[in-house]
Amino acid sequence: MASSCEVEFSFDYKSRGESKQLKASLPIPYEGNIRETAARLMTINEIPSHLFEEELVSALGAFISEETRKWRDRIGDDAILKAFEGGTIDKQVNEWVSRYTHNHAHFTTLKKVPDDPFPSIYLQLVHSPALTTLLQLEHTYSLSMNDISSAARNAVTNMHKKHDKELENMLQKTDTDVNKLMRQHVFEKKELEDKWMLEINEQQNVQKREYRDWLSRLHEELYEETTTTGGGGGGKKQKSRKKSALAELQSNQQPMMIEDVQLPNERMEESFTIYLGAQQKSSHSLRLICSNIISYCTDSRDPAAASADIAGSMRLNPRRIETAVSLYSTELTALILNTDREINTISGLKEVFADCCRLSTDFHFPSIDEQLLTVQGFATEIKETRETMKGEKVGGDSTDTTSPNKINFESSLSNMSLSPDRSSANSSLLGSLSNPGLSPKSVSSLETDEGVTLEPGDFYITRHSNLSQVHVICHLVSDDKAILNPSLNTRHPIMLGLRNILRTLARNRIHKVIIPLLLTDQMKPDMTINWCLKRAELVFKSVKGFLLESTTWQSDQTWTVQFLLPEGISDDGFEQISDLLSKTYRTSISRSLSGNTSGVRIVN
């Protein structure tokens, strides 16, 4: 920027009937205080302050503003002339246009993305008599995928047995021979897994393409049938022809029965209704359940047994019907699932969940592998931002003592998982998760990429249409050391991540959530009754605080929160945690509905 310049300021006034003039040299741009400068000038020139102070301050301010504007105009003119002389005017103009279009919404040209008709088609068919046929086709595809998955597991198991025998025969050999054989085993295992993963991906792509084509044809036929009905003889003939086409599509399908869902007798469960708020109270439903967290993602029975035909008919779980009907609605259900810090590694609970997703084809959203790959791309950007912010704090006196999770990690990941268009009731899960800069890869190729380590309390969201009882999975990053720490408090990054998940769900109109109460999916020896009570109280109070907060901006919204206890907790522990919930939310009325292990309580 050009250097400052000196300008002369003059002020005319009269003193004792004599005209006088005040002159002073001022730097432009001027960074001093105008009133203080006027006071100094009046003192130097012996001008009475009570006579001309306000006039001098006004004249001085107007003079500085005008001279500053002229100085800036000269700088701008010099820059333009310099650009013309150097022949870079086009480059400058293009740079200005680029900056304006990328940073100012007023100058940005929005590109309208064509709407995908598939969600609307599915929404109409799932609320029509074609629902049974549609779910039956999905079930048939699921059985086909289960056969491929079983064959893949058997092939890997047989290879492990073969490798074990070969290693036993090599015990008398040298270390060099053993290492060579182990490297060969790793290569063979990787090659076999890649082969089956490729076959599974190809089968899913074929099923997704056939499913979408079938739904489009069925929707077109039903629509034409409706429009031609009542149009005379031609309409009746068209209707008959369309019916025969639908019958042909259903000819290879077996009749379907809706089975009765029988909950295990040993399942411990209790329900609560609470009322929160100061003046205007809002009601919420709470449930305390002891169950396996994966049971919300898949049928607890073997798929072949679940679909065993009775008298030539297939049986379908009614919960799957409810999940399918509510897919494009505001009645979505979210599940919080603990995960490790590595996105590109699949093991433990994450591996079990990924296997559940691969048991059937997701016809509406990308596969779990593609979604994890997209999350990894966003996580790389977040990692770079965090490193930049840490670098800016080095050598400075920063009073910010918060964790690295201060960065808005949830906005980058959750918003790309949930549709930003929340204006319509059936758009909560619309939108594409794919990133144009990333190409779909299988798990095997995902594992070979450079991993991005997340921080405890971070979370990412995946969307699914092929799970048993949930639509949205919130993967909360944690580690065993922090989870088992008895001193975990509300300011810990994991607890902050839990609250951020609830806020994200609320912004996307998702008000049904399943939370692992102890922040873990299984009981461990270190988890005593006192430990469980302390952890349950922490989560109860955190959720209660969020519900109270949400009543200030969603007073008429009802939440359904299921607190999930891991299998293996004792009956006495369940009862004590149930009493703790009652105390936390101040139970006033208790009414048992079914036996000793299940009930409903009204909480005020």
Side-chain angles (χ1 to χ4, degrees), residues 265-270 571 574-575 594-599:
N265 295 329
E266 63 275 8
R267 173 170 169 173
M268 294 180 289
E269 177 179 351
E270 193 162 1
D571 295 350
F574 182 90
E575 290 297 331
S594 55
N596 297 326
T597 61
S598 179

Side-chain angles (χ1 to χ4, degrees), residues 132-159:
T132 305
T133 305
L134 185 149
L135 294 180
Q136 190 171 359
L137 179 62
E138 292 184 2
H139 192 70
T140 303
Y141 281 145
S142 176
L143 294 179
S144 176
M145 288 302 305
N146 181 70
D147 293 340
I148 297 179
S149 300
S150 299
R153 288 193 297 269
N154 293 334
V156 173
T157 301
N158 294 334
M159 175 170 285

Side-chain angles (χ1 to χ4, degrees), residues 104-373:
H104 295 273
H106 180 72
F107 299 98
T108 301
T109 303
L110 299 178
K111 296 181 179 179
K112 184 178 180 180
V113 180
D115 295 334
D116 184 7
F118 177 75
S120 300
I121 292 175
Y122 178 85
L123 187 62
Q124 295 182 33
L125 292 179
V126 82
H127 290 90
S128 71
L131 170 63
T132 305
T133 305
L134 185 149
L135 294 180
Q136 190 171 359
L137 179 62
E138 292 184 2
H139 192 70
T140 303
Y141 281 145
S142 176
L143 294 179
S144 176
M145 288 302 305
N146 181 70
D147 293 340
I148 297 179
S149 300
S150 299
R153 288 193 297 269
N154 293 334
V156 173
T157 301
N158 294 334
M159 175 170 285
H160 286 168
K161 294 180 180 179
K162 175 185 175 183
H163 289 171
D164 292 341
K165 292 182 180 179
E166 292 179 354
L167 286 175
E168 291 177 0
N169 297 332
M170 291 292 291
L171 292 179
Q172 305 300 328
K173 302 293 182 178
T174 62
D175 293 342
T176 304
D177 296 334
V178 173
N179 292 335
K180 181 179 179 180
L181 180 61
M182 293 183 67
R183 286 194 298 268
Q184 181 182 351
H185 288 175
V186 172
F187 175 78
E188 292 177 354
K189 179 184 177 181
K190 185 71 165 47
E191 189 177 30
L192 181 64
E193 290 177 348
D194 289 348
K195 169 184 174 295
W196 281 106
M197 188 59 63
L198 179 61
E199 185 171 344
I200 289 176
N201 289 338
E202 290 179 351
Q203 182 68 14
Q204 288 180 344
N205 292 333
V206 171
Q207 289 186 358
K208 182 178 291 188
R209 184 171 58 254
E210 292 179 352
Y211 180 83
R212 286 175 171 253
D213 292 343
W214 184 84
L215 255 66
S216 299
R217 294 198 307 269
L218 178 61
H219 178 267
E220 182 181 355
E221 292 176 357
L222 290 177
Y223 178 77
E224 290 181 359
E225 175 183 339
T226 303
T227 55
T228 55
T229 302
K236 293 181 180 179
K237 182 178 180 180
Q238 182 76 359
K239 178 180 177 181
S240 176
R241 185 178 67 84
K242 294 301 178 182
K243 279 190 174 181
S244 62
L246 292 177
E248 182 179 354
L249 288 174
Q250 301 175 358
S251 60
N252 296 327
Q253 304 289 340
Q254 298 177 352
M256 179 172 289
M257 295 176 57
I258 307 301
E259 64 178 3
D260 295 331
V261 177
Q262 299 292 337
L263 295 178
N265 295 329
E266 63 275 8
R267 173 170 169 173
M268 294 180 289
E269 177 179 351
E270 193 162 1
S271 300
F272 302 82
T273 300
I274 64 173
Y275 295 89
L276 297 177
Q279 297 179 351
Q280 183 178 1
K281 293 184 178 294
S282 60
S283 64
H284 307 280
S285 299
L286 306 181
R287 296 180 66 189
L288 183 64
I289 304 174
C290 179
S291 179
N292 185 357
I293 194 170
I294 297 297
S295 63
Y296 289 88
C297 302
T298 185
D299 197 336
S300 59
R301 301 166 299 167
D302 182 79
S307 61
D309 57 331
I310 299 179
S313 62
M314 288 186 177
R315 303 171 64 187
L316 185 65
N317 193 323
R319 289 178 175 172
R320 180 69 188 96
I321 299 179
E322 181 181 0
T323 304
V325 171
S326 60
L327 180 59
Y328 293 98
S329 71
T330 56
E331 299 297 323
L332 303 177
T333 302
L335 170 66
I336 299 178
L337 198 67
N338 288 337
T339 186
D340 52 31
R341 302 173 64 177
E342 302 289 340
I343 300 178
N344 63 334
T345 59
I346 297 183
S347 60
L349 182 62
K350 188 194 297 185
E351 182 179 9
V352 177
F353 170 72
D355 290 339
C356 293
C357 296
R358 298 190 190 107
L359 287 176
S360 59
T361 302
D362 196 321
F363 300 105
H364 300 263
F365 308 114
S367 65
I368 180 63
D369 305 324
E370 295 175 11
Q371 294 192 50
L372 289 179
L373 184 65

Side-chain angles (χ1 to χ4, degrees), residues 28 33 52 68 178 309 313 330 385 397 404 422 482 525 532 574 593:
I28 297 297
N33 185 279
F52 304 104
T68 302
V178 173
D309 57 331
S313 62
T330 56
T385 304
D397 182 14
R422 299 181 293 274
C532 294
F574 182 90
L593 294 183

